[in-house]
């Protein structure tokens, strides 16, 4: 009975925008540019692209399969596919990872919302290297304002999710994703009109392998995972809302390509300006919050540009957080019998309470900045454990499960929509990469990230 009432997205377009909304997030605008900056530009982009192809895509298709075939939350789905087995752990890891990511992601998103507000107030006009640094420090260290912004973020995401799959997730992503594209293109055009912008473009697009280290390959793979929201059931959960005639392989390819396009467009908005003002491209995580305000404020009409830029970043962060929280909501409504509203409110409050630990430990001079667990503060610990341990393990388990525990005929049946799609070659290719390439790469990355294998 419950399953019959389950909502789905209303069309293929809705599926595309919702899924893209999950993929496009702080990863594109915050992580991607600083990683490209630190790893020598286009060569890193190329490696990233291969990681998407050989690991990202097969895992994404697999998650969609698990979700749409069972039409259940991540734990329910695994229980249905392999009752009473340890494979349920894929779901359990997913739930834990979803919490860990939310704890720190809502904190960073809070800074972004705050920066929209500051940009509108005109706080960045005439900003200098020192004042930009000081402003970011104040925004992060708080202690009250980051917590308040984190709660505002959670309230916005919760309000959208309470409205449901179609009226909430679908409607918001269908409206905001095109807006995001438009805003990023406006920022790009402005950036390209700057004198000296070609330096930045050269940096982004000229392939120079000498800057690449083995470490950058591992970073590229981790980034591909984080970027495509993989390894923790987000795509299982969204897949469970897909229409039955959706071509899962096709959707995965379109989402991965569009997501990469957004990352590259973000790079085009950022690097020409960075080079035009002789700033360093490898500024690290501070690139978004310190370098961008500094650089954009020097451009004519730069203040408006800053407002647009931080609005687009907050759209990206918000639609991504919706998809992480939805993993938890689907679980609590379906497995624990909570109403949607209760599930959202309960989880939002829980995330706010623990998430405060992230907000209060984001910088070494934060109130809890000196508390270290395994040598890391809370903020870094949440990020590290989720991105470097649980997500690769989750991805590996999914690859092994799909590649070796599910019959190929069943996979072919579901991916071809019961034989209505004539895409055997794509299914075969997917199956080959899934069985023989993705798991090997994932094991290497995982062993390296926990320090067993040293490069
Ligand atoms: N993909 C998003 C980004 O790049 C973040 C995200 C959303 C995510 N859902 C996820 C990351 C699930 C890991 C797992 O910002």
């Amino acid at each position: 009975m419950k399953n019959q009432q389950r909502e789905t997205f209303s069309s293929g377009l809705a599926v595309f925008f919702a899924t893209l909304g999950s993929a496009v997030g702080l990863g594109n605008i915050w992580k991607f540019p600083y990683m490209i900056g630190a790893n020598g530009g286009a060569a890193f982009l190329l490696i990233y692209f291969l990681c998407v192809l050989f690991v990202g895509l097969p895992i994404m298709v697999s998650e969609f399969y698990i979700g749409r075939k069972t039409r259940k939350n991540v734990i329910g789905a695994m229980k249905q596919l392999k009752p009473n087995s340890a494979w349920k752990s894929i779901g359990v890891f997913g739930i834990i990872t979803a919490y860990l990511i939310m704890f720190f992601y809502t904190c960073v998103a809070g800074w972004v919302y705050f920066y929209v507000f500051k940009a509108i107030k005109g706080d960045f006009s005439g900003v200098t290297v020192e004042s930009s640094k000081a402003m970011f420090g104040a925004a992060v260290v708080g202690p009250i304002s980051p917590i308040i912004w984190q709660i505002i973020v959670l309230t916005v995401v919760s309000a959208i999710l309470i409205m449901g799959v179609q009226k909430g997730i679908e409607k918001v992503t269908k409206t905001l994703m095109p807006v995001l594209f438009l805003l990023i293109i406006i920022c790009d055009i402005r950036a390209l009109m700057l004198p000296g912008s070609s330096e930045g473009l050269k940096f982004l697009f000229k392939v120079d392998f000498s800057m690449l280290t083995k470490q950058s390959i591992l970073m590229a793979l981790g980034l591909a995972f984080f970027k495509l929201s993989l390894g923790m059931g987000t795509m299982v959960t969204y897949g469970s809302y897909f229409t039955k005639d959706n071509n899962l392989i096709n959707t995965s390819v379109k989402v991965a390509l569009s997501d990469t396009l957004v990352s590259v467009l973000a790079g085009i908005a950022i690097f020409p300006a960075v080079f035009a003002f002789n700033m360093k491209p490898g500024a690290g995580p501070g690139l978004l919050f310190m370098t961008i305000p500094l650089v954009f404020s020097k451009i004519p009409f730069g203040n408006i540009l800053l407002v647009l830029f931080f609005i687009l970043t907050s759209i990206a962060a918000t639609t991504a957080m919706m998809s992480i929280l939805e993993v938890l909501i689907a679980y609590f409504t379906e497995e624990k019998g909570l109403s949607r509203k209760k599930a959202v409110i309960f989880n939002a409050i829980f995330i706010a309470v623990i998430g405060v630990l992230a907000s209060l430990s984001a910088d070494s001079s934060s109130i809890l900045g000196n508390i270290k667990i395994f040598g890391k503060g809370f903020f870094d610990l949440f990020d590290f454990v989720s991105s470097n341990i649980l997500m690769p393990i989750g991805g590996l388990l999914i690859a092994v499960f799909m590649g070796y525990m599910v019959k190929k005929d069943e996979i072919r049946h579901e991916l071809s929509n019961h034989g209505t799609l004539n895409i055997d070659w794509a299914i075969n290719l997917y199956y080959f990469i899934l069985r023989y390439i993705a798991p090997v790469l994932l094991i290497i990355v995982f062993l390296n990230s926990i320090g067993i294998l040293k490069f």
Side-chain angles (χ1 to χ4, degrees):
M1 190 57 205
K2 235 193 235 156
N3 255 0
Q4 284 167 6
Q5 296 167 346
R6 219 170 179 275
E7 274 191 274
T8 59
F9 294 125
S10 67
S11 65
L13 195 67
V15 162
F16 172 71
F17 279 129
T19 314
L20 186 62
S22 169
V24 170
L26 291 171
N28 306 63
I29 299 158
W30 176 54
K31 281 198 176 193
F32 197 95
Y34 84 68
M35 286 193 178
I36 281 219
N39 290 283
F44 182 77
L45 195 62
L46 201 72
I47 302 291
Y48 173 79
F49 210 75
L50 294 176
C51 293
V52 167
L53 188 66
F54 287 115
V55 185
L57 280 175
I59 306 285
M60 196 185 324
V61 174
S62 303
E63 291 201 25
F64 287 164
Y65 170 97
I66 295 170
R68 197 184 59 176
K69 172 125 180 139
T70 61
R71 300 237 177 248
K72 291 221 159 88
N73 65 88
V74 59
I75 290 193
M78 294 316 298
K79 282 205 286 200
Q80 177 172 331
L81 290 175
K82 283 272 176 266
N84 301 319
S85 76
W87 290 106
K88 190 182 129 184
S89 56
I90 291 182
V92 178
F93 279 157
I95 299 292
I96 298 172
T97 315
Y99 279 118
L100 291 176
I101 297 181
M102 282 304 276
F103 295 153
F104 76 88
Y105 207 95
T106 49
C107 165
V108 181
W111 306 339
V112 176
Y113 276 37
F114 184 33
Y115 266 52
V116 172
F117 176 71
K118 282 169 84 70
I120 291 173
K121 275 201 319 182
D123 281 4
F124 298 114
S125 59
V127 74
T128 61
V129 176
E130 286 73 32
S131 62
S132 155
K133 227 179 180 167
M135 261 191 221
F136 182 52
V140 168
V141 174
I144 302 297
S145 96
I147 296 176
I148 292 179
W149 285 103
Q150 191 175 21
I151 292 172
I152 293 175
V153 163
L154 269 165
T155 310
V156 171
V157 174
S158 304
I160 298 169
L161 286 193
I162 284 181
M163 300 209 262
V165 172
Q166 281 198 8
K167 292 213 185 82
I169 299 173
E170 171 170 334
K171 205 161 159 210
V172 166
T173 49
K174 250 179 164 171
T175 319
L176 291 187
M177 291 316 285
V179 173
L180 182 144
F181 260 104
L182 184 74
L183 292 182
I184 211 165
I185 301 247
I186 296 175
C187 291
D188 280 348
I189 294 174
R190 186 66 193 91
L192 290 176
M193 281 165 25
L194 289 174
S197 68
S198 60
E199 274 305 301
L201 290 184
K202 238 192 251 153
F203 175 76
L204 258 184
F205 294 113
K206 191 168 148 267
V207 182
D208 172 11
F209 283 101
S210 67
M211 292 271 293
L212 272 188
T213 59
K214 281 180 194 135
Q215 212 54 38
S216 21
I217 300 177
L218 299 172
M219 271 166 92
L221 193 53
L223 181 64
F225 244 72
F226 187 84
K227 277 292 338 92
L228 299 176
S229 313
L230 299 174
M232 55 151 290
T234 304
M235 293 308 185
V236 172
T237 307
Y238 270 20
S240 75
Y241 303 134
F242 279 14
T243 47
K244 62 178 186 303
D245 59 354
N246 194 269
N247 181 340
L248 301 183
I249 295 185
N250 188 18
T251 298
S252 305
V253 173
K254 277 200 309 214
V255 168
L257 285 180
S258 313
D259 176 71
T260 308
L261 178 68
V262 173
S263 298
V264 172
L265 290 177
I268 295 178
I270 294 170
F271 288 117
V274 168
F275 277 88
F277 292 97
N278 285 324
M279 302 287 296
K280 290 200 180 60
L287 186 63
L288 174 61
F289 295 102
M290 291 186 279
T291 314
I292 301 293
L294 188 63
V295 166
F296 280 25
S297 66
K298 297 198 174 130
I299 302 173
F301 300 109
N303 268 330
I304 301 172
L305 209 60
L306 261 181
V307 174
L308 299 184
F309 190 80
F310 280 106
I311 288 180
L312 87 85
T313 310
S314 46
I315 292 176
T318 304
T319 55
M321 282 181 292
M322 283 157 47
S323 74
I324 310 177
L325 190 53
E326 181 64 21
V327 173
L328 302 168
I329 305 314
Y331 168 69
F332 276 92
T333 51
E334 289 167 18
E335 304 295 311
K336 300 284 169 213
L338 257 58
S339 71
R340 196 172 172 86
K341 194 166 162 191
K342 277 208 182 110
V344 172
I345 293 173
F346 164 75
N347 278 293
I349 291 176
F350 180 69
I351 291 164
V353 170
I354 310 286
V356 164
L357 294 178
S359 269
L360 294 180
S361 64
D363 188 86
S364 53
S365 48
S366 302
I367 292 183
L368 304 179
N370 286 323
I371 302 182
K372 304 276 182 214
I373 304 163
F374 302 118
K376 291 190 185 331
F378 291 108
F379 183 99
D380 293 335
L381 191 71
F382 296 147
D383 186 7
F384 181 83
V385 174
S386 55
S387 307
N388 294 20
I389 300 182
L390 293 173
M391 273 155 50
I393 294 184
L396 180 61
L397 289 177
I398 289 169
V400 172
F401 176 78
M402 284 294 289
Y404 298 91
M405 302 301 293
V406 181
K407 289 202 192 71
K408 189 172 179 197
D409 274 348
E410 268 175 45
I411 294 179
R412 184 178 296 128
H413 193 64
E414 182 71 28
L415 294 185
S416 67
N417 294 342
H418 313 270
T420 49
L421 300 172
N422 194 358
I423 50 166
D424 253 8
W425 68 270
I427 296 174
N428 289 337
L429 183 63
Y430 152 75
Y431 198 64
F432 179 82
I433 299 177
L434 176 73
R435 274 173 80 100
Y436 304 112
I437 303 180
V440 178
L441 290 175
L442 277 168
I443 289 174
I444 296 177
V445 168
F446 177 63
L447 291 182
N448 179 271
S449 75
I450 58 171
I452 293 181
L453 204 75
K454 272 270 165 278
F455 284 109

